[in-house]
Amino acid sequence: MSEAPLLLEARDVAKRFDSVVALKAASLQVRPGEVHGLMGSNGAGKSTLVKIITGVYPADGGQIFVKGAVRSFRSPAEARRAGIVSVYQDPALVPDLTITQNMGLAGAPVDAVRKWLAELGVARLDFSLLVRDLPDPTLRLIDLARALAWEPAVLLLDEITASLPADLSEQIYAMVKRWRERGNAVIFISHRMAEVSALCDRATVLRDGVTAGVTERAQGSEERIVALMLGAETARAVASAPSTRATRQRADDAQPALEVRGLRCAPQVNDVSFKLYPGEVLGIAALEGQGQEELFDCIAGSRRFDEGAIVARGKELRLRHPADAIAAGIVLVPANRLVALLQQRPIPENIALPAFGRIRNWGPIRIREERTRVASAIGRLQIDTRAGSELRRLSGGNQQKVVIARWLASGFDILLCFDPTRGIDIGTKRQIYALVREIAAAGSAVLLFTSELPEIPLACDRAVVLFGGRVVAEMPVSEADEATLLRSAHGLAPSVEASS
Amino acid sequence: MSEPSKTIFSRVVVGITGSGFVSLLRTRTIVALILLLLALVAGIQLARPGTVNAIWISNMMLFAAPLGIVAAGQTLVMLTGGIDLSVASVATASAYLMATHSGLGVALAILYGLGVGFVVGLINGTGVALLRVQPLVMTLGTGLMTEGMLVVYSQKKIGEAPRVPQFIEDLGAGKFLGGIPNDLIVWVPIAIILIFVLRRTGFGRLLYAIGDNSKACTLAGIRVWRILLLNYVTCGILAAVAGLIIVGGTDSAELRLAEVYLLPSVAAVIIGGTSIFGGRGGYSGTIVGALILTVLNSILTLLDVPESVRQILYGAIILLLAAAYTRLTE
Ligand SMILES: Nc1ncnc2c1ncn2[C@@H]1O[C@H](COP(=O)(O)OP(=O)(O)OP(=O)(O)O)[C@@H](O)[C@H]1O
Ligand SMILES: [Mg+2]
């Protein structure tokens, strides 16, 4: 169908893990000089396909062609020698080693990695730092720079932007375009429709391990892509779902569910104050590293702060351990799901975990009660439990859902959500925001950070913008369009004093 | 990163044991281990026909019980990703203290013995859980100190000479109903309780959870140190109980009484399928592991195999099974 010879082709690839069929017949054709979107719901098989193409797993069926010749790689190193390199969904760096050691381990040319990091906007990075001490987004950029250093003809990016804030995502887009201009191909996986349609030339959609369709132009075919991803029926239901957001009238004398006063946690958080009312969803917008992560950690009790106060329902809290926050009804969905999950344990144990913080629950477990609680949380988030006997076998998005499900099952007053839709597909994203609204409507309060600014109006009542560890703007959601948020987040807008 | 070593290693295992066994080990660990145990029993019967009879079986159970009990505590600790190297010293000290206080009556004497387990366990737990000392370092230290203090104590002790009370002797060496070892009266309830605790209680869940990811437990609002403290104390007390049974069997409280149990206690846990990194495994595997080691020991004694060969065999079995288990984590 195309005159250009294909750089990479996957034909009817199949893969099963014991009883779980991850791929049935996945096909993918990638031409030189294109950015090819690979789309699909959580658990559709995208990451599995990437891992088969790059030799992490052997395929059970089907073939991989590179420049027309059948190839089957036994390891990522072999794929690399054929010019195929992937940045995987989870960081592939050893936490206890320095960056230099990590590069050595992978056999990556350190100088080239340094050069590409500079091109990505990270000019001065100390390569003798331990990986565990670096923030998540930096790790993603190191992963990418390492991949680029091998100068791959086909670069696969598995949800690289999922954990990146807007400004860093821009860097990635620019780099992807540059790579395309050199006549290489990029396979781009993302759940963010906007960036896919802006960036990709064509897109392949996987559904339940089968290639459901290919769109010749990604731009303008968003609806078709969603329909292919979800199946026409579900797509229509998602599209016609009413926007659940309804800003609630709040009595002026209402007591805040949570009040943060003059919080300081050097050096990242410098002066943060805000109020969060029951029944409200307050959005936090910020670029990377403006103190938002530390702010959430302080409120959740997993980081000590230097000055200021955190007050819940009129009572100042002494937060020395996450257990203190949880006892006060404050729970956290953290930025990095890997720190919150038990990878070797089944889904139910992951969801039921917080119950055992109380000593009186150390005795015999009421299995039946636990089962119903867990099942209802799984149902509300529609977690794909087929591979649920060990958490690490779940797809990335489904793991993320488990973190949220845990708190639904155990209950809370105040939900701190740090990027809760990271790596979650379009259909589920809507469900999660609907769920957030539902939680607020039931009287709880939600503090929500999202790295995708356009999502703030979808779920929030009010937005607060952080810059340099300070609140620089606060606005009702009606004014919080992407451009305004972005300007404030860069510290550009005239500082608006808290207006409510 | 560890891919090549993994495949080579697992290929060796498959070559020796057959891939069927490895996949059985994976899906039904207990069944595979029991088959291994039966194969050993069959081996002994082939090598020395007539060995396997009711008395032999009863003796195996008698000998396995103390190992099973030490390994019970070891299982608890290893599930959290730790290890307790003080168990042998604790068992010895427990036996010795009990024996030197036997004049006070058997009940009080036993309390002295168990008290050693409690105290050392508490120190281990405090070090690991609160001061965050590496479990290996902490328990190695307390083990050596317990040993040293016991030597001092035995030299200074002018009064009462160690004497093993009849009750303890019966417990550690006697049998009832024509062949059921008395020490099973201790071991069986411990086993039942432990299996229940690990499978069906919040405490058990937390041991696995901590072994898997203790940071995640903290984030979920669990004060991890409490569990660890309780866990090391339990391990210490179980080791002390085992010490009493061991001294009942030998009838003399010596200063190196339980030394030989240290490595087998770790080996039984590993053979039984508990990961040394924590988070997976259980006690039923350890029980079979203890039985396998006891039977193996019996074979080697019977064949008059020298100690060095015995150690090589031990090591080889642990390596093979450990390698087979690593395939499970692929
Ligand atoms: N190692 C494994 N063992 C068992 N099942 C697995 C394993 N890896 C993936 N699966 C299963 O295969 C299916 C596809 O997973 P995959 O990770 O490819 O999805 P994905 O499309 O990348 O989803 P996401 O958008 O959530 O990352 C899922 O049902 C998953 O649970
Ligand atoms: Mg994935």
Side-chain angles (χ1 to χ4, degrees):
Chain A
M1 65 187 179
S2 158
E3 62 299 335
L6 296 175
L7 255 186
L8 175 75
E9 179 179 6
R11 208 178 280 170
D12 293 328
V13 173
K15 176 76 186 172
R16 61 187 301 158
F17 298 97
D18 293 327
S19 59
V20 182
V21 181
L23 293 175
K24 289 193 203 102
S27 300
L28 175 70
Q29 299 189 326
V30 183
R31 302 172 188 154
E34 77 164 337
V35 179
H36 195 105
L38 182 56
M39 308 287 292
S41 308
N42 296 131
K46 305 177 296 295
S47 299
T48 306
L49 182 59
V50 167
K51 287 179 180 164
I52 287 175
I53 290 175
T54 54
V56 177
Y57 301 139
D60 296 339
Q63 287 163 311
I64 308 285
F65 299 86
V66 179
K67 295 183 188 131
V70 184
R71 302 293 302 264
S72 105
F73 304 117
R74 276 167 303 174
S75 71
E78 221 178 287
R80 194 156 73 220
R81 285 192 284 276
I84 299 174
V85 177
S86 176
V87 175
Y88 297 101
Q89 190 168 4
D90 291 316
L93 297 162
V94 185
D96 288 313
L97 298 180
T98 65
I99 304 175
T100 313
Q101 286 166 338
N102 263 292
M103 294 306 124
L105 198 63
V110 177
D111 288 331
V113 174
R114 227 184 258 283
K115 182 193 117 206
W116 285 111
L117 265 179
E119 307 256 349
L120 286 164
V122 187
R124 273 188 295 277
L125 183 64
D126 182 359
F127 269 44
S128 63
L129 286 175
L130 285 185
V131 163
R132 66 158 67 256
D133 296 330
L134 295 170
D136 241 29
T138 312
L139 297 186
R140 302 311 292 165
L141 293 182
I142 296 174
D143 259 339
L144 175 59
R146 179 175 61 186
L148 292 172
W150 281 309
E151 309 267 335
V154 182
L155 175 66
L156 298 94
L157 302 177
D158 192 352
E159 296 195 30
I160 188 166
T161 53
S163 57
L164 295 182
D167 51 337
L168 289 182
S169 297
E170 295 290 341
Q171 298 273 12
I172 307 269
Y173 306 151
M175 186 56 74
V176 166
K177 285 178 189 150
R178 235 175 101 183
W179 214 249
R180 164 176 58 193
E181 272 149 32
R182 292 174 159 212
N184 298 313
V186 179
I187 297 176
F188 190 80
I189 299 179
S190 167
H191 290 295
R192 298 179 181 175
M193 189 56 80
E195 66 186 24
V196 169
S197 59
L199 199 60
C200 298
D201 302 304
R202 301 192 306 147
T204 294
V205 181
L206 284 183
R207 184 161 89 235
D208 297 336
V210 180
T211 295
V214 182
T215 55
E216 283 303 319
R217 286 209 54 73
Q219 204 158 13
S221 26
E222 291 87 349
E223 258 165 51
R224 168 132 194 273
I225 292 179
V226 174
L228 286 171
M229 272 173 70
L230 304 177
E233 206 103 308
T234 327
R236 224 172 299 127
V238 166
S240 62
S243 167
T244 36
R245 201 181 60 73
T247 311
R248 288 155 54 101
Q249 241 10 65
R250 174 175 84 229
D252 277 343
D253 55 350
Q255 187 186 46
L258 177 78
E259 183 177 356
V260 173
R261 281 189 212 134
L263 195 77
R264 240 172 52 76
C265 173
Q268 297 94 347
V269 181
N270 291 313
D271 179 17
V272 173
S273 305
F274 62 82
K275 291 177 182 167
L276 170 64
Y277 290 89
E280 183 184 45
V281 181
L282 176 61
I284 301 268
L287 302 179
E288 169 57 20
Q290 303 305 313
Q292 62 270 37
E293 206 160 341
E294 293 76 14
L295 171 67
F296 274 67
D297 285 349
C298 287
I299 303 174
S302 55
R303 180 188 288 262
R304 302 284 182 90
F305 49 91
D306 308 322
E307 262 176 56
I310 293 171
V311 181
R313 301 204 188 284
K315 235 177 62 198
E316 179 165 352
L317 303 178
R318 268 164 59 91
L319 299 172
R320 318 172 125 255
H321 190 280
D324 298 326
I326 292 166
I330 304 176
V331 303
L332 170 72
V333 175
N336 178 358
R337 62 169 192 273
L338 298 176
V339 304
L341 292 171
L342 312 173
Q343 292 288 337
Q344 306 176 75
R345 308 306 306 172
I347 295 177
E349 287 188 25
N350 272 281
I351 292 179
L353 185 62
F356 304 114
R358 299 203 180 120
I359 293 185
R360 68 177 155 84
N361 289 343
W362 286 9
I365 298 168
R366 279 180 241 115
I367 297 283
R368 210 167 301 145
E369 188 191 305
E370 180 182 291
R371 236 177 249 152
T372 38
R373 224 160 18 100
V374 165
S376 100
I378 288 177
R380 272 175 89 179
L381 286 166
Q382 301 186 354
I383 299 173
D384 173 1
T385 57
R386 285 176 305 162
S389 63
E390 276 184 73
L391 205 89
R392 63 199 171 92
R393 301 190 190 282
L394 293 186
S395 76
N398 279 301
Q399 292 188 15
Q400 177 71 30
K401 290 190 208 171
V402 171
V403 185
I404 303 173
R406 165 183 293 175
W407 297 122
L408 284 185
S410 76
F412 54 83
D413 290 330
I414 299 163
L415 178 65
L416 311 174
C417 276
F418 199 97
D419 234 2
T421 56
R422 193 178 271 195
I424 282 188
D425 68 52
I426 299 172
T428 315
K429 213 173 258 181
R430 288 246 34 161
Q431 284 166 15
I432 287 190
Y433 284 130
L435 190 74
V436 163
R437 294 306 324 175
E438 209 179 290
I439 286 167
S444 301
V446 181
L447 188 67
L448 177 95
F449 168 80
T450 169
S451 50
E452 286 179 76
L453 296 180
E455 291 189 359
I456 286 205
L458 280 179
C460 304
D461 298 308
R462 247 181 340 133
V464 157
V465 184
L466 295 185
F467 178 74
R470 288 168 213 281
V471 174
V472 290
E474 183 184 327
M475 59 193 88
V477 76
S478 51
E479 294 163 22
D481 56 287
E482 195 181 352
T484 315
L485 288 172
L486 204 57
R487 223 171 323 111
S488 316
H490 275 104
L492 293 180
S495 153
V496 184
E497 279 312 308
S499 58
S500 79
Chain B
M1 278 137 281
S2 58
E3 260 164 44
S5 64
K6 194 159 49 180
T7 48
I8 291 168
F9 214 37
S10 47
R11 262 180 216 154
V12 171
V13 176
V14 172
I16 295 176
T17 59
S19 63
F21 182 75
V22 171
S23 76
L24 187 63
L25 202 58
R26 163 177 182 174
T27 47
R28 298 234 181 296
T29 310
I30 281 296
V31 177
L33 288 173
I34 290 176
L35 284 181
L36 189 63
L37 178 64
L38 292 180
L40 282 175
V41 174
I44 208 168
Q45 181 67 9
L46 281 179
R48 289 276 190 284
T51 312
V52 178
N53 55 29
I55 297 174
W56 180 83
I57 291 174
S58 149
N59 280 338
M60 286 303 105
M61 299 304 264
L62 179 75
F63 298 149
L67 175 57
I69 295 170
V70 186
Q74 200 67 266
T75 306
L76 293 177
V77 169
M78 287 178 68
L79 277 177
T80 63
I83 192 166
D84 189 343
L85 295 183
S86 69
V87 284
S89 313
V90 167
T92 305
S94 153
Y96 197 87
L97 245 76
M98 183 279 302
T100 53
H101 289 90
S102 52
L104 302 174
V106 74
L108 252 146
I110 289 177
L111 269 184
Y112 268 94
L114 299 186
V116 176
F118 178 82
V119 170
V120 178
L122 198 64
I123 298 173
N124 284 337
T126 309
V128 172
L130 291 170
L131 309 176
R132 297 177 195 229
V133 184
Q134 277 284 323
L136 189 120
V137 176
M138 186 70 207
T139 58
L140 185 66
T142 52
L144 288 171
M145 280 168 61
T146 309
E147 224 166 83
M149 269 150 56
L150 190 64
V151 171
V152 174
Y153 173 82
S154 69
Q155 287 164 347
K156 290 276 152 69
K157 187 82 186 177
I158 312 144
E160 208 174 332
R163 188 183 59 81
V164 179
Q166 189 60 42
F167 175 79
I168 295 290
E169 212 177 298
D170 287 344
L171 189 67
K175 295 181 182 176
F176 67 103
L177 290 181
I180 304 176
N182 287 338
D183 57 11
L184 288 192
I185 299 175
V186 181
W187 189 22
V188 171
I190 287 180
I192 292 172
I193 292 171
L194 216 68
I195 291 175
F196 177 80
V197 164
L198 288 179
R199 293 208 180 141
R200 282 300 165 97
T201 68
F203 182 76
R205 277 282 180 83
L206 286 174
L207 294 186
Y208 288 100
I210 291 170
D212 190 300
N213 186 349
S214 95
K215 175 89 196 290
C217 293
T218 305
L219 283 180
I222 289 148
R223 296 180 200 271
V224 172
W225 65 269
R226 291 178 178 168
I227 307 281
L228 289 181
L229 191 65
L230 184 54
N231 203 30
Y232 278 90
V233 168
T234 311
C235 180
I237 292 177
L238 285 171
V241 170
L244 300 182
I245 293 176
I246 296 168
V247 78
T250 64
D251 199 15
S252 74
E254 291 155 19
L255 290 178
R256 328 214 79 150
L257 179 77
E259 210 177 62
V260 292
Y261 283 87
L262 177 56
L263 293 182
S265 81
V266 177
V269 178
I270 294 176
I271 291 174
T274 296
S275 157
I276 53 165
F277 302 112
R280 59 164 84 220
Y283 188 54
S284 41
T286 305
I287 295 175
V288 188
L291 289 172
I292 287 175
L293 286 176
T294 310
V295 169
L296 189 67
N297 218 10
S298 151
I299 296 182
L300 300 178
T301 312
L302 217 72
L303 299 180
D304 225 352
V305 172
E307 182 61 27
S308 48
V309 175
R310 188 177 295 207
Q311 283 178 355
I312 292 172
L313 262 174
Y314 258 49
I317 287 187
I318 292 176
L319 271 181
L320 276 176
L321 281 167
Y325 286 125
T326 59
R327 277 176 62 85
L328 315 188
T329 46
E330 270 174 21

